[in-house]
Amino acid sequence: MRIDIITIFPEMFEGPFKHSIIKRAQQKGVVKINLINLREYATDKHKRVDDYQYGGGSGMVMMVEPIANCIDELKSKNDYDEIIYMSPDGELLTQKIANRFSTFENIIILCGHYKGIDERIREHYITKEISIGDYVLSGGELAAAVLTDSVVRLIPGVLNDETSALSDSFQDDLLSPPVYTRPYDFKGMKVPDILLSGNDKKINEWRLEKAVKRTKERRPDLMDK
Ligand code: ADE
């Protein structure tokens, strides 16, 4: 999979993409993440990518030309499954969306700033708008990192134990059951004995029961699905 991220702050991705699963996925060649600095597509000598809004009002707007030039160049080289704009107005990111995106060959993720991007880009270039939650971030970069992480870990071959993605919270609209590791007894707090029984059937039943209980208590909206 190829993920092209258009941003004015490529350095913001250095932390999230240089560690753990995303790092390993890139090393394995399962995903290629390209950070594209939008300023390189600015059309004036000051490398401006934002300007005042028509109609007045506070806050700058990201200009149409640098973004259009950047996306046009990328589209001349690759076919994209989706051109995604990170925005609080977008569709709420869910595990279902992450699953679907993980089957794609090529995507573009555009990160906005300031008051947002010129509406003409949204109308004519963007094919999908995604929000990571009902709150406003300073820009789309952190949201793009969250989306990328949620998608890349689902690409086959990324996780060592393939079943571990399948038993994630939300994968079947259930939260995950509790998990334990050594020691068995920590200051009198003991691990449930069923987990030491060696009876896989009983252990799976216990995990399902705990997952359902936790989901009912904390996220009854998921049970309604
Ligand atoms: N940009 C700013 N806030 C955002 C959010 N909640 N989701 C996605 N992109 C954003």
Side-chain angles (χ1 to χ4, degrees):
M1 182 180 197
R2 176 193 171 105
I3 304 179
D4 292 329
I5 301 180
I6 304 173
T7 170
I8 55 171
F9 294 119
E11 312 78 32
M12 281 185 76
F13 293 91
E14 280 173 13
F17 294 166
K18 287 208 169 133
H19 299 276
S20 184
I21 289 167
I22 307 293
K23 176 184 173 186
R24 222 181 317 132
Q26 292 176 92
Q27 285 171 339
K28 280 188 183 172
V30 178
V31 66
K32 175 100 183 70
I33 302 173
N34 300 305
L35 298 172
I36 298 150
N37 191 339
L38 184 64
R39 279 198 201 281
E40 288 169 13
Y41 293 84
T43 50
D44 73 338
K45 64 175 192 280
H46 303 294
K47 299 274 176 209
R48 272 187 82 155
V49 292
D50 61 312
D51 209 338
Y52 297 102
Q53 337 187 15
Y54 273 113
S58 66
M60 307 293 272
V61 173
M62 288 175 70
M63 297 159 74
V64 72
E65 283 157 301
I67 301 174
N69 290 344
C70 180
I71 296 179
D72 283 340
E73 187 183 302
L74 290 170
K75 279 169 70 173
S76 73
K77 294 184 200 149
N78 307 292
D79 285 330
Y80 289 95
D81 298 283
E82 295 280 15
I83 301 176
I84 301 155
Y85 173 50
M86 302 311 301
S87 162
D89 318 351
E91 184 178 348
L92 209 54
L93 178 62
T94 58
Q95 192 64 36
K96 197 173 277 167
I97 293 177
N99 284 339
R100 192 163 66 80
F101 285 10
S102 73
T103 65
F104 290 161
E105 286 290 316
N106 302 314
I107 57 172
I108 292 175
I109 305 178
L110 172 63
C111 306
H113 264 272
Y114 319 115
K115 273 275 170 206
I117 61 173
D118 189 298
E119 189 67 17
R120 289 165 287 188
I121 293 290
R122 294 170 77 162
E123 282 174 2
H124 300 287
Y125 285 83
I126 299 299
T127 60
K128 189 103 201 144
E129 301 198 0
I130 295 287
S131 165
I132 63 160
D134 289 339
Y135 40 80
V136 180
L137 301 167
S138 313
E141 280 76 12
L142 293 174
V146 167
L147 173 63
T148 302
D149 188 289
S150 71
V151 170
V152 168
R153 61 194 296 286
L154 295 171
I155 303 171
V158 170
L159 295 183
N160 289 331
D161 177 2
E162 296 249 355
T163 59
S164 80
L166 295 176
S167 62
D168 282 343
S169 276
F170 293 106
Q171 201 58 263
D172 44 15
D173 288 329
L174 284 178
L175 303 182
S176 293
V179 291
Y180 300 86
T181 185
R182 290 186 294 177
Y184 167 72
D185 186 340
F186 174 68
K187 297 182 180 177
M189 293 175 263
K190 298 203 177 86
V191 174
D193 285 321
I194 181 85
L195 297 175
L196 287 84
S197 68
N199 184 332
D200 286 343
K201 185 167 174 282
K202 283 260 180 299
I203 290 172
N204 286 337
E205 282 168 10
W206 180 88
R207 286 185 171 148
L208 180 63
E209 181 200 316
K210 293 291 174 191
V212 169
K213 181 169 180 282
R214 187 164 274 190
T215 310
K216 274 185 184 157
E217 283 166 5
R218 300 185 185 191
R219 292 295 307 274
D221 56 304
L222 294 176
M223 296 298 292
D224 296 341
K225 285 191 189 169

